[in-house]
Amino acid sequence: MKGMIQVYTGTGKGKTTAAIGLSVRAVGAGMKVLFLQFMKAKGLSEHKVMAELAPRLRLETVGKPFFIAPEGVIPLDGDGEWKEHVVVFPPGNPPADYQAMVDRGLAAAAEALAGGEYGLVVLDEINVALSFGLVAWPALEAALDNRAEGTEVVLTGRGAPPELIAKADLVTDMDEVKHYYQAGLEARPGIES
């Protein structure tokens, strides 16, 4: 069976949630899954249950307990506890330790995609890493091109670039129509985190 390239992108909620659901379905069908989360640290609610699916599902995180963003991407005015967990960097100059971590994550993704051990590889939030300049499209494209014949890959996150959308076999654009964040509600355990 030929593995496809799936992309879940857009401003709406549910991209990671959809990838988790697909991962559970794949495990249920006897597939081995690598769920590699870029720009996230361990401690999210899904990590507890995903750990229970080992060894059929392997979860790795490539992120620190803070979020990074290029200047001008995230409005830093207004209230919100989240602001103390954001590191803003000049475009093209991310923190070196964070960049090194993302580079190691991309190398692990390329190895998993090429190795044929996994029926499904999820690269959660890699679209954001691409749009922030932390991952270069040519490097990701090479990893996708070198994947084993039967390896399905899912790439999630806002801001999927046109090159990725053109290369993908399936693209779902989750459009935000209304979200309670706009009313000031922070992420809730079990729902958003």
Side-chain angles (χ1 to χ4, degrees), residues 6 19 22-24 26 31-35 118-122 150-154:
Q6 297 188 29
L22 181 60
S23 297
V24 169
M31 295 170 71
K32 195 166 181 187
V33 176
L34 172 62
F35 202 100
Y118 298 98
L120 174 63
V121 175
V122 176
T151 301
E152 190 93 2
V153 60
V154 173

Side-chain angles (χ1 to χ4, degrees), residues 8-13 15 127 157-160 172-176:
Y8 304 154
T9 193
T11 59
K13 179 181 173 350
K15 297 171 288 292
N127 298 342
R158 295 172 182 238
T172 299
D173 187 348
M174 297 181 178
D175 187 29
E176 181 179 308

